[in-house]
Every structure is written in structure tokens, then in C-alpha cells.
Amino acid sequence: VPNDNAVMPHKPALRVNQLDAARLDAELERELQAQFTGVVGEAITLTEEHQAVIRAVVAAILSYKLISTGQTYGQTLLLLTFNHAKRSKILLYVLCAVLLPLVWVLVRNRVESTGQSAGFNRPHQQQPRSAVYLARFEKLLKILTLGNTAAFLLWGRYGTLLERLLRLPTADMREGPRYVTFDYLSRELLWHGFSEFIAFVLPVFSGARFRRMVQRVLSGTTSTALPASVCGVCGLTPASPHAALCGHVFCYYCVASNCMADRKYPCPRCDRAIDRSALKRVM
């Protein structure tokens, strides 16, 4: 007889759902941080340390839901959760996520200010050991983050380096097999049909001709209103003038470049097709 109180194991979450949840959390944090920054910025001039403190405060506010329910806001929307994580591990995760970025900014600014006060701000002078160790640690952290991202894309577990260190895998709370909804299939079919249509139409569609038509409609003027002594394309005195079979004169660069872009380029004055090989220089 199965025990109703037994905790059923959750299914591993899809990579795309984990990325979407992290993106939602980041967007929410960014919006709240912008609101706090706008309010505090009216009273004082914000520095990098002030920005780090505001970010820590916002992260602490958003972390209350994670502490109370074991889910972030993004995970709640996508029905995800940390797979049977202990409360102590959740608290440690929150402390690291809130305090580590703040501590990093404070330590880095302290090291930089110490180096500048000691006279190490010139490029040819040797940097203090603390600055060198800090730069090496930052490079190592970037390498580890890149490796964790590659491992996440390969195996689908531990979206961040902190989650991997604390062993906090994300799981899917949905019961039963995953079904692809009809709305999703409809969107996919519609998108594939539209992309195939665009791929079929674009090769036979002349972008230069469409651009000329739009320019004529927006400008409300045509080249026939220009004097015969000027180029019908640029409206200036023809440079290296060449005449088409229709007898109208243009700058060689103007007419040649348009003929290269559109083999059926029409004369702007009479709409007769211009043959580039038939252009004759006008003395």
C-alpha cells in the first residue's frame, strides 16, 4: 500500500523552462532596482557601491518568497522548484546570492582605491598583489561560469554556478507526462509556414524597386520634374555623364550602381528599362 505522505520525486526541469525562470527573475529584479534607484537618486548621487547596496536590498526582498515557499517568482510561474531542497540550504543560497555581489563590489573598490592611494595608478608601475590576485580570481570565476553553462546545456542541471556548488537542481512540479499543447503546435505550424513563404518570396522580390516606389510615394515628386541638365537619380550635375537608350543623361555611378542592384532598373524619367551595357558616354 503506497504511503500518501511519501514525497514523490519531481521530474527534471527542461532547460528552456529553467532559462525562462531565471530570465523572469532577472527582469523583475531589474525593474525593482530601477524603481529604487530613481527614488534614492533624487536624494543623493549614486555611486557603484550605492548601486550594489540597492541591488542587495532588492534581492533580499525578492528572496523572501524563496525562503517561505522554496520557489522564486519565475519558478512559480513556470511550475518549477528546487528539488527537495532543505531549508538550511535555501537560506545559504539566499545569503550567497544577496551578499556575494555586494562583497565583491566593496572589495574591488577597496583594492582599487588602495592601489591609487599608494601610487599604482600609472600603467608602467607594478600593481599591488591584492589587485593581481583579484584579477586572477575574476578570470577564474569567468572560466568556471563558462564551464558551468556548457555543462548545463549538456546535462540540463544547475543553471548557475552557485546552484551547482550547493547541489540545488531544479525540478518540474507537473504531474504526469509532458504534453505539447494545441496552441503551441498551431504557433509552430504557422511560423514554419510563414518562414517558408518568406524564403520563397524574398529571392524574387526586388528590394531596390520597392525602396524606389516608397521614396516616390513619400516624396510626392518624380524625376520628370527635374531639369534635363541634371541627373535624374541624384538631381545634381552629372559626373562622368552617360546616356541610356532613351536619351536621358545620368551620372555613371548613379545609373551603374542601380543597374547592378536591379537588372530591370527603369529610367526615373520615362520608366523605360535601362541596359547597362548600352550606356554611352556624353561629352
Side-chain angles (χ1 to χ4, degrees):
V1 178
N3 186 7
D4 295 336
N5 297 326
V7 180
M8 299 300 294
H10 293 143
K11 299 183 297 294
L14 296 176
R15 296 173 181 83
V16 63
N17 289 345
Q18 297 183 56
L19 293 175
D20 288 342
R23 183 67 179 271
L24 289 172
D25 293 331
E27 290 292 337
L28 180 59
E29 182 177 343
R30 190 179 298 110
E31 289 295 329
L32 289 180
Q33 186 175 351
Q35 297 294 330
F36 274 84
T37 301
V39 173
V40 179
E42 296 291 336
I44 60 175
T45 302
L46 297 178
T47 63
E48 185 180 6
E49 294 184 357
H50 293 152
Q51 294 282 359
V53 172
I54 292 176
R55 183 199 172 281
V57 171
V58 171
I61 294 174
L62 296 178
S63 298
Y64 175 77
K65 177 175 176 55
L66 178 59
I67 296 174
S68 58
T69 64
Q71 296 174 283
T72 64
Y73 286 96
Q75 290 177 342
T76 303
L77 291 175
L78 296 176
L79 298 179
L80 303 179
T81 185
F82 287 121
N83 196 8
H84 306 315
K86 297 181 179 180
R87 186 175 181 83
S88 59
K89 190 175 292 187
I90 292 293
L91 291 175
L92 182 59
Y93 175 83
V94 170
L95 288 176
C96 293
V98 172
L99 296 180
L100 286 182
L102 175 61
V103 173
W104 172 259
V105 172
L106 296 178
V107 171
R108 185 182 60 189
N109 291 345
R110 180 63 60 87
V111 170
E112 291 178 356
S113 61
T114 303
Q116 292 178 0
S117 61
F120 293 102
N121 54 349
R122 296 181 181 179
H124 64 274
Q125 291 180 337
Q126 185 179 5
Q127 295 295 323
R129 289 187 176 181
S130 57
V132 175
Y133 293 152
L134 192 66
R136 292 178 179 176
F137 178 76
E138 186 175 5
K139 292 180 180 180
L140 177 61
L141 185 61
K142 291 180 179 179
I143 294 174
L144 293 177
T145 302
L146 179 60
N148 180 79
T149 303
F152 169 74
L153 295 177
L154 184 60
W155 291 293
R157 301 185 64 185
Y158 308 118
T160 63
L161 186 61
L162 182 58
E163 293 176 6
R164 183 172 296 275
L165 293 176
L166 297 179
R167 298 296 179 182
L168 286 174
T170 304
D172 197 330
M173 298 177 60
R174 299 178 180 89
E175 297 182 358
R178 299 188 182 96
Y179 293 101
V180 181
T181 62
F182 178 76
D183 294 337
Y184 174 78
L185 290 177
S186 300
R187 289 195 300 268
E188 287 296 314
L189 291 174
L190 181 62
W191 170 250
H192 282 294
F194 180 72
S195 60
E196 291 178 359
F197 174 76
I198 293 297
F200 174 76
V201 170
L202 282 181
V204 299
F205 183 77
S206 176
R209 186 178 303 173
F210 178 76
R211 186 169 59 252
R212 289 196 307 272
M213 182 180 64
V214 172
Q215 289 176 352
R216 288 184 181 182
V217 173
L218 295 179
S219 61
T221 59
T222 60
S223 298
T224 56
L226 297 174
S229 59
V230 300
C231 173
V233 178
C234 64
L236 303 176
T237 302
S240 183
H242 279 66
L245 292 178
C246 60
H248 296 122
V249 181
F250 309 93
C251 302
Y252 177 75
Y253 175 77
C254 293
V255 67
S257 59
N258 282 282
C259 288
M260 291 176 62
D262 184 5
R263 291 180 298 177
K264 298 181 180 180
Y265 177 70
C267 174
R269 296 182 183 273
C270 63
D271 288 335
R272 181 179 175 182
I274 298 178
D275 186 3
R276 183 187 175 191
S277 61
L279 292 175
K280 294 183 179 180
R281 183 176 176 83
V282 179
M283 302 303 295

